[in-house]
Amino acid sequence: MTVHELDDFTPAYPVLRELRPDIGSLEDFLTQAKQQQAQGYRMIAAISDGEVAAVAGFRAGLCFAWGHHIYVDDLVTASSARRQGHGAALLAWIDEEARRIGAAQVHLDSGTHRHEAHRRYLTSGFAISSFHFTKAA
């Protein structure tokens, strides 16, 4: 397995749809991906046997609450590739990138029902530090 940063997000589409089924068509996905890239969004992929096994999308940021940080927007392993270390490899890559760019923290949110993912995050050194609230505008 290797981890690579993606310039072209096309190979990540089927895997990311497992996490974000409302993305829509590949064309819709790529259109939005370009908009997000313009705002600093980056994507990495764990490649196994020439296939994308897992992807993570993230961005660097600066705010009063967290200082210089990385925020992980998307992190998913293909259902056929789970429990093989792909998620851990992506998180380790992100940790190294945070150190490289001088970010003091890495943040992510996770749906309350994603118990297997929560185990991975806790094993990778994350702590449950807050609640995230949402409401429709």
Side-chain angles (χ1 to χ4, degrees):
M1 170 197 5
T2 58
V3 175
H4 298 285
E5 186 161 1
L6 301 176
D7 293 320
D8 175 13
F9 292 179
T10 304
Y13 174 72
V15 177
L16 192 59
R17 282 211 63 204
E18 290 190 34
L19 179 66
R20 311 276 185 228
D22 294 336
I23 287 174
S25 70
L26 175 60
E27 182 178 289
D28 293 340
F29 166 70
L30 293 174
T31 297
Q32 183 168 333
K34 286 182 184 184
Q35 293 170 343
Q36 288 184 209
Q37 280 180 295
Q39 297 176 3
Y41 183 85
R42 298 164 58 192
M43 187 175 285
I44 57 174
I47 310 295
S48 181
D49 297 324
E51 299 291 325
V52 173
V55 297
F58 64 96
R59 53 197 153 96
L62 178 66
C63 66
F64 291 114
W66 303 333
H68 190 201
H69 65 279
I70 285 181
Y71 184 83
V72 180
D73 294 87
D74 308 296
L75 177 60
V76 61
T77 299
S79 56
S80 62
R82 293 196 177 127
R83 296 182 181 256
Q84 298 174 28
H86 303 298
L90 294 176
L91 289 169
W93 192 100
I94 289 169
D95 286 346
E96 181 58 35
E97 183 65 2
R99 285 187 287 279
R100 188 187 74 76
I101 67 171
Q105 299 179 13
V106 177
H107 289 261
L108 60 79
D109 287 315
S110 181
T112 56
H113 64 285
R114 299 189 69 226
H115 302 291
E116 286 186 45
H118 301 163
R119 279 192 289 279
R120 163 52 44 219
Y121 304 147
L122 292 168
T123 300
S124 295
F126 285 86
I128 301 170
S129 62
S130 63
F131 292 104
H132 179 94
F133 295 90
T134 63
K135 74 175 192 174

